[in-house]
Amino acid sequence: LNSNMSIRTALQQHSSTLSSHEAMPLLTRMLAKDYQTMDKNASLTKAFAIYSKIDGNKSNAVMNVMLKLCLHFKAADKIQSMWTDIVQHEQNKSKAKSYKDSLLSYTLLLTCCLRCTHCNIDQCIAILSWISSNRYKLTQIDAKDYSKNLAQLISKCNHPSYLHELQTIHSLIDAKQLKNDAFLHSALIHSYEKCTRDYQQSLQVFESTTHEIRNAFCLSAIMQILLKYARYDLVL
């Protein structure tokens, strides 16, 4: 594709289908500064027009650019139209003997899911399972965002009807990451109380923390719960 060709012209010339390779320079161009200042709806309409023309499986590189565009234009709900493709891609990858595509950014995907108007917890759990099964390695920047996103996801489990989801999320968190993350422990302590209407599982989470991270957040969380259930003996 000619680098000077407009996106509209390129779409007209490719009236039927595009390959992921052909679509990438068009989508990447939309992340440039001149496109980021455009009207949100017009930009997203163009991006999804390109996406819809891609023939066959969309590459992870294409998916990642689309996720970035959805986040930039504050349109996380748009990822729902991509979800079927994402799931299909993950299923194909798990069946393949060899896999050469770039990795899907699960941290970007999780951020989008959490910013949707109606967060789908089951979709978030699916992302956590992909992170676990693919042994996805987080960069330092990703790790901070991932921790915040996990804490936010845990906090959404705030009713007894979400107990199973909370337990599943807890089981999918990498033990090494959980060990040193006071914010995640604090979120788990609060959510277990809301989901069980009891203090015992929250206390178990607190007791599983190391002394190094039993900071003000974790202490405050468990003390509030113990006082709520009049377990003054355990507070002391």
Side-chain angles (χ1 to χ4, degrees), residues 12-225:
Q12 288 172 345
Q13 288 188 7
H14 293 78
S15 56
S16 54
T17 60
L18 290 164
S19 67
S20 286
H21 179 72
E22 290 170 326
M24 268 303 293
L26 297 174
L27 291 171
T28 303
R29 201 182 305 170
M30 298 192 73
L31 287 171
K33 288 182 180 179
D34 54 336
Y35 276 97
Q36 289 189 12
T37 57
M38 286 176 59
D39 175 72
K40 165 186 163 180
N41 292 327
S43 298
L44 287 172
T45 298
K46 286 183 179 180
F48 277 92
I50 296 167
Y51 182 82
S52 66
K53 283 182 176 289
I54 298 174
D55 186 32
N57 290 333
K58 282 79 172 174
S59 70
N60 283 335
V62 165
M63 299 284 195
N64 288 339
V65 173
M66 292 298 295
L67 293 174
K68 288 177 183 177
L69 286 168
C70 288
L71 282 177
H72 173 77
F73 289 112
K74 295 180 175 60
D77 287 335
K78 288 282 188 180
I79 69 155
Q80 296 306 322
S81 61
M82 298 167 54
W83 185 255
T84 301
D85 290 334
I86 292 169
V87 172
Q88 185 62 54
H89 205 288
E90 288 298 315
Q91 290 173 345
N92 292 342
K93 184 172 68 175
S94 65
K95 295 174 184 176
K97 291 183 179 179
S98 61
Y99 186 73
K100 296 180 180 179
D101 195 2
S102 57
L103 288 174
L104 179 67
S105 176
Y106 296 122
T107 49
L108 269 178
L109 182 56
L110 184 60
T111 301
C112 282
C113 281
L114 287 168
R115 292 188 185 179
C116 286
T117 307
H118 301 289
C119 175
N120 188 319
I121 292 178
D122 288 336
Q123 287 182 348
C124 294
I125 289 174
I127 298 166
L128 297 186
S129 69
W130 295 334
I131 289 172
S132 176
S133 62
N134 291 311
R135 298 180 181 178
Y136 185 73
K137 292 184 178 179
L138 299 166
T139 65
Q140 276 191 326
I141 296 173
D142 280 347
K144 289 182 180 179
D145 290 337
Y146 184 59
S147 176
K148 291 177 184 176
N149 285 338
L150 274 179
Q152 185 181 346
L153 176 59
I154 290 166
S155 298
K156 289 184 181 295
C157 300
N158 54 12
H159 186 271
S161 60
Y162 288 117
L163 177 59
H164 175 71
E165 286 81 355
L166 176 60
Q167 290 171 331
T168 303
I169 293 165
H170 192 177
S171 70
L172 288 170
I173 300 174
D174 182 75
K176 289 182 180 178
Q177 181 181 18
L178 182 60
K179 181 180 178 181
N180 299 309
D181 197 317
F183 292 103
L184 287 183
H185 276 101
S186 180
L188 285 167
I189 288 168
H190 281 296
S191 286
Y192 269 118
E193 187 276 326
K194 290 174 182 176
C195 287
T196 62
R197 303 288 169 87
D198 189 57
Y199 68 89
Q200 293 187 9
Q201 281 192 269
S202 297
L203 186 59
Q204 287 176 15
V205 172
F206 176 76
E207 290 177 342
S208 71
T209 62
T210 61
H211 288 287
E212 288 77 15
I213 67 165
R214 288 187 184 181
N215 58 13
F217 294 105
C218 290
L219 281 171
S220 175
I222 194 60
M223 286 179 69
Q224 287 175 32
I225 291 167

